[in-house]
Amino acid sequence: MGVIYNRIYDTSNLKFWYRVHEYSPFIFVILTVSGLVTTYVFAVFVQEDVVPIIPRISQTGNFPPSSMIFTFTLGMAAILMNIVIFTLHLMGNKFATSLLLSTISDSDSGDNLEIDDTERSLKKSDHFKTFCARNTLCRIFGFGASVGVLGVGAFQVANSRVMHNIALLTLGANGFIFFILHSFQSKDFFYKRSRTGKILFAIRWIFIILGALAIIGMGVNTSLAFSHWDPSVECSDDEREKWKVFNNCSAPHSNYKENDGGFKFYVAANACQWTWLATFFILVGSVQMDLVRINCLTE
C-alpha cells in the first residue's frame, strides 16, 4: 500500500493525473452513454416493461434491474460531470493567471510601470473581469446541471413524477445556460476569435439550437399525446399500460399500440427527448477541445 500511495502522490506523476482530468469530458460521455444503452437494452428487450420502439428515457429506469443501472449510471454521471466542470474551472484559472502575467510583462517592459500597479489596473479592466465572471458562472450553472442529473436518477418517474420533472428542468435550464456561457468564453478567450474558435462556436450553437427545438418538440408532442387520454379509463395515467400491446389492464382499448390515440405523438416526443440527450453529450464532449487548447496555451 505504501508503494501505491507514494506513486499516486509523487510529484513526478502529477502530470499523469492532470492528463486524466484533462480527458474527463471524453470519459463522461463514454461511461454515461454505455450505462444508458445498457438500461435501454434491459428495459426494452429483457424486461419488456416500456413502450416499444422509442421509450421515454426516464421510463427505462422505473423498475429493477434497469432502475438500479439507471440510478447508478446517473449518479456516476453527476460525479463525472462535476469533475468536468471543476477541471474546466481550474484550467480557466490557470489561463487567467497566464493572461495576467503576460499582460503585466508587456506593460512593465513597455511603460516601465510597477508590477503591483499594473496588476491592480488589469484586475479592474473589463476584459479580465469578464473572463473571471464567466468562469465563475460556468462553474455555478455546471454544478446546477450535475445536481439535476443526480436528481433525475434518484427520483424515478414511477415513484415521484413531480420531483423527477423538477430535476429534469434543473438539468435542462442550467445545462443550456452553461453551454451558452461556455461557447462565448471559448470563442473570446481560449481561441482568441480565431477561425477555429469561430467554427467551433458555430457548431456549438447549432447543437444548442437543435437541443432547444428538441425540447420544444417534446413538449408539444407530449401535450398532443396526453390529449388523447381518457381519465375515466383504468390505467389511463400509465403510458406503459396505455400503449403496450399485451398487458394486465382491463381497459377495452389497452391492447392497441399504433392504433391507440396519441401513440404517434408519444413516440415523436420520446424521439425529441433522445435527440436532446444526444446534443447534451455532444456539447459536453466538445469541452474536451477547450481543455486541450488551454493546456497548449499555458504550457
Side-chain angles (χ1 to χ4, degrees):
M1 291 296 293
V3 175
I4 297 176
Y5 179 88
N6 291 334
R7 180 171 177 79
I8 291 176
Y9 289 97
D10 186 2
T11 55
S12 63
N13 292 318
L14 288 178
K15 191 170 183 178
F16 167 76
W17 295 108
Y18 180 76
R19 287 292 184 181
V20 171
H21 286 81
E22 183 182 339
Y23 291 97
S24 55
F26 178 77
I27 297 172
F28 166 83
V29 172
I30 294 298
L31 294 182
T32 307
V33 169
S34 299
L36 291 177
V37 168
T38 303
T39 303
Y40 174 86
V41 170
F42 266 88
V44 175
F45 300 106
V46 179
Q47 299 170 211
E48 298 183 347
D49 61 352
V50 295
V51 177
I53 304 179
I54 305 178
R56 190 176 294 268
I57 299 173
S58 54
Q59 290 291 339
T60 63
N62 272 341
F63 304 98
S66 62
S67 61
M68 295 182 286
I69 301 173
F70 184 78
T71 300
F72 174 79
T73 297
L74 293 188
M76 175 185 65
I79 296 174
L80 292 173
M81 189 169 181
N82 264 312
I83 293 176
V84 173
I85 299 302
F86 188 64
T87 301
L88 181 63
H89 180 73
L90 291 180
M91 296 280 277
N93 288 341
K94 184 179 180 182
F95 176 81
T97 302
S98 176
L99 177 67
L100 178 67
L101 294 177
S102 64
T103 307
I104 289 175
S105 177
D106 294 341
S107 298
D108 184 57
S109 61
D111 301 326
N112 295 320
L113 298 175
E114 292 293 334
I115 290 181
D116 290 341
D117 294 336
T118 307
E119 183 176 355
R120 280 193 293 269
S121 62
L122 178 62
K123 286 184 177 179
K124 294 179 181 179
S125 67
D126 292 337
H127 189 71
F128 189 79
K129 287 166 63 178
T130 298
F131 177 85
C132 293
R134 288 182 186 173
N135 200 39
T136 301
L137 288 174
C138 283
R139 182 185 61 179
I140 294 172
F141 287 107
F143 176 75
S146 67
V147 171
V149 171
L150 183 63
V152 170
F155 303 105
Q156 285 94 357
V157 68
N159 299 322
S160 180
R161 186 180 294 271
V162 174
M163 290 301 298
H164 181 85
N165 289 336
I166 291 176
L168 190 61
L169 180 62
T170 301
L171 167 60
N174 284 276
F176 271 116
I177 295 174
F178 167 79
F179 291 129
I180 290 172
L181 288 172
H182 179 69
S183 66
F184 284 102
Q185 186 84 322
S186 175
K187 177 177 70 73
D188 294 341
F189 293 97
F190 303 150
Y191 287 90
K192 300 178 180 178
R193 301 181 182 275
S194 66
R195 182 178 180 181
T196 302
K198 292 178 181 179
I199 293 174
L200 182 60
F201 178 80
I203 293 174
R204 278 179 170 149
W205 269 93
I206 288 174
F207 285 105
I208 289 174
I209 293 173
L210 179 61
L213 292 176
I215 288 182
I216 294 173
M218 181 176 65
V220 171
N221 283 287
T222 299
S223 299
L224 292 173
F226 285 6
S227 67
H228 289 268
W229 286 20
D230 183 357
S232 65
V233 177
E234 184 181 355
C235 299
S236 65
D237 62 342
D238 189 348
E239 54 261 46
R240 289 190 317 114
E241 299 294 343
K242 176 175 174 57
W243 286 300
K244 195 173 179 182
V245 182
F246 299 106
N247 52 61
N248 298 322
C249 183
S250 60
H253 73 289
S254 62
N255 288 333
Y256 292 89
K257 190 176 68 171
E258 289 88 348
N259 295 330
D260 201 355
F263 179 77
K264 293 181 179 179
F265 294 117
Y266 184 73
V267 172
N270 295 348
C272 289
Q273 189 180 50
W274 284 98
T275 301
W276 169 78
L277 183 66
T279 62
F280 182 83
F281 283 133
I282 291 172
L283 289 169
V284 173
S286 71
V287 175
Q288 180 73 61
M289 299 181 63
D290 296 294
L291 296 180
V292 174
R293 173 70 174 177
I294 297 172
N295 189 41
C296 293
L297 291 173
T298 55
E299 279 187 342

